[in-house]
Amino acid sequence: MDFNDSPDEAAYRAQVKAWLEANAPKARAGDDDPEGGGSMAASKAWQAKKAAAGYAQITWPKEWGGQGGTPIQQVIFNQEEAHFPVPGNPFQIGLGMCVPTVMTFADDATKTRFVGPALRGEEIWCQLFSEPSGGSDVAAARTKAVRAPDGSGDWLISGQKVWTTGAQFSDFGIVVCRTNPDAPKHKGLTMFWVDMHDAGIEVKPIHQMSGGSGFNEVFFTDVRVKDSQRLGAVDEGWKVSLVTLMNERLAVGGPSGAGWAQFLEAARSIPGLDGAPVLRDQAIREKLADWYVATEGLKHTRNRTMTALSRGQTPGPESSIGKVVSALQMQDLGNTAIEMLDQYGILNDPELAPMQAAFHWSLMFAPGLRIAGGTDEILKNIIAERVLGLPGDIRVDKDVAFKDMPTGR
């Protein structure tokens, strides 16, 4: 593992720093709402500025608005951008998952139509995979797509998706549908892109316990799509979904809530039962030590990934470790902090609560993070099978026609 930039990387980092110093905002523009809201205009303006300079998607080919750069260059830009109070990023799902899928499977006319506007922040995309009856099992999708009876070759989509991030402000989305119920669940799916403004699509935001409404229910009622909106072959949607899901593992980042350093700061000033600072409590000190060690372990795991990127290698499934550990730690740290705050733990108003209610946000958001981008159980299976080489889970439904599977209802 090499902790230092190579000469080329150091030169690129200097170039990025200089551009950010000249162009990045020095203060937040209004209310930085990650779900859009008051900062959407600022987010779009910053995205457009990055796109004009080639920094919106550094690894994309130059003909599609990127730099044709390396993954480590994208990592360097992300690191340096994090030092500035840039607005929220509602484009992450589209540029990290949806549009790369379109670029891989769509025809040239479709790519020409969508890639540029998405890169410049003019249009936002969402990913419509999860369903009420399937949870994190994407292949269990029941939303169906059938050929229109008029012989036009169009498709009619009906069903429900859930936990769709950003659907309420998205312009387009990719949706995986059941097109062949006679085939096993992984072999009867087809993916399409859809216009989220279609009259047959209804979006209902879900009020989360964290106070936000970033997740949504999405209902499809005979939504007509052209066959040209199909991504990949008919009934081969699982293969297309795997491309999206691999990108999702990289696009879903670690938690941004309060960490061990913020907890340490609070513990120094909050009195315990004996009147002394909570930090003197041995159990609290053990917790802090555990969080610190885990955080350092994750940092060096990311450094290994960066080293692989720097060498032109593709990181392996070890990246699944990061979200499993960090999401659990985020929840544990938030819960411990709320208990430590005693009666102040019930206050989640950023103007009144200690640390601007960062601990409250961490506690309430962590359960969602443990689902997004693959549940803990799915990621642990990936680690077990692909990192440790353990035998795979027994899958009794592997060769069963989807229509013959029990519904659980």
Side-chain angles (χ1 to χ4, degrees), residues 9-139:
E9 291 163 3
Y12 188 79
R13 189 181 295 276
Q15 170 191 320
V16 166
K17 283 183 176 180
W19 185 85
L20 287 168
E21 285 287 351
N23 294 276
K26 303 301 186 290
R28 295 216 181 272
D31 182 22
D32 187 28
D33 176 6
E35 297 160 9
S39 70
M40 184 61 77
S43 295
K44 289 190 172 185
W46 177 236
Q47 184 67 21
K49 184 174 285 190
K50 288 196 295 183
Y55 288 120
Q57 288 293 111
I58 291 167
T59 61
W60 285 11
K62 292 182 179 179
E63 59 265 30
W64 294 115
Q67 293 183 353
T70 63
I72 191 63
Q73 288 177 332
Q74 184 68 63
V75 170
I76 289 171
F77 183 87
N78 293 346
Q79 288 177 336
E80 296 303 322
E81 185 187 34
H83 297 311
F84 293 84
V86 297
N89 182 11
F91 316 104
Q92 181 179 17
I93 290 174
L95 297 179
M97 304 174 223
C98 305
V99 178
T101 304
V102 171
M103 292 170 71
T104 302
F105 294 100
D107 56 36
D108 288 341
T110 301
K111 288 187 282 190
T112 300
R113 161 64 185 84
F114 288 122
V115 173
L119 190 74
R120 296 188 295 271
E122 297 165 6
E123 295 172 346
I124 301 176
W125 287 68
C126 63
Q127 173 189 321
L128 300 139
F129 280 17
S130 298
E131 297 191 7
S133 61
S136 291
D137 186 358
V138 174

Side-chain angles (χ1 to χ4, degrees), residues 24 45 68 71 75 95 126 128 162 188 201 222 254 259 271 312 321 354 359 372 378 391 396:
V75 170
L95 297 179
C126 63
L128 300 139
V162 73
I201 298 178
D222 291 332
I321 297 171
F359 298 126
I378 288 174
V396 296

Side-chain angles (χ1 to χ4, degrees), residues 138-366:
V138 174
R142 296 183 180 277
T143 294
K144 63 180 181 180
V146 298
R147 291 284 189 179
D150 57 11
S152 62
D154 293 351
W155 298 81
L156 299 176
I157 300 176
S158 297
Q160 179 187 358
K161 299 293 182 176
V162 73
W163 311 123
T164 304
T165 302
Q168 74 271 46
F169 52 72
S170 290
D171 300 294
F172 298 95
I174 56 173
V175 57
V176 62
C177 304
R178 179 70 50 191
T179 48
N180 186 0
D182 295 317
K185 67 179 186 179
H186 288 84
K187 298 180 180 179
L189 300 169
T190 305
M191 189 182 291
F192 303 87
W193 66 261
V194 295
D195 185 339
M196 294 299 292
H197 303 296
D198 191 291
I201 298 178
E202 181 182 10
V203 178
K204 293 184 176 181
I206 299 171
H207 183 73
Q208 300 153 223
M209 64 181 181
S210 63
S213 297
F215 301 139
N216 301 268
E217 294 179 289
V218 183
F219 298 87
F220 293 80
T221 304
D222 291 332
V223 176
R224 180 181 284 263
V225 298
K226 301 289 186 183
D227 190 56
S228 58
Q229 293 177 237
R230 175 168 45 84
L231 298 173
V234 175
D235 295 341
E236 294 293 333
W238 178 246
K239 294 179 181 179
V240 182
S241 298
L242 287 178
V243 173
T244 310
L245 293 171
M246 284 190 293
N247 285 317
E248 183 179 29
R249 299 289 183 262
L250 298 176
V252 174
S256 57
W260 68 267
Q262 288 78 14
F263 187 99
L264 175 62
E265 180 183 344
R268 282 174 171 156
S269 59
I270 294 175
L273 294 177
D274 59 357
V278 172
L279 186 58
R280 294 188 181 181
D281 186 286
Q282 186 61 37
I284 292 294
R285 296 170 76 89
E286 289 177 1
K287 282 272 192 183
L288 271 167
D290 289 341
W291 296 330
Y292 172 80
V293 170
T295 301
E296 288 296 295
L298 290 177
K299 181 178 76 174
H300 295 310
T301 297
R302 287 192 294 270
N303 285 337
R304 282 195 288 271
T305 298
M306 289 177 60
T307 299
L309 291 172
S310 182
R311 295 171 178 169
Q313 301 168 353
T314 301
E318 295 86 353
S319 58
S320 296
I321 297 171
K323 197 174 80 68
V324 171
V325 175
S326 59
L328 280 169
Q329 176 173 305
M330 183 180 185
Q331 188 168 0
D332 183 38
L333 191 150
N335 182 69
T336 305
I338 296 302
E339 292 291 335
M340 177 182 70
L341 295 174
D342 197 23
Q343 70 268 30
Y344 295 102
I346 66 174
L347 299 176
N348 65 355
D349 186 335
E351 295 184 2
L352 300 175
M355 308 297 294
Q356 291 77 51
F359 298 126
H360 301 77
W361 186 89
S362 294
L363 178 63
M364 297 299 181
F365 187 76

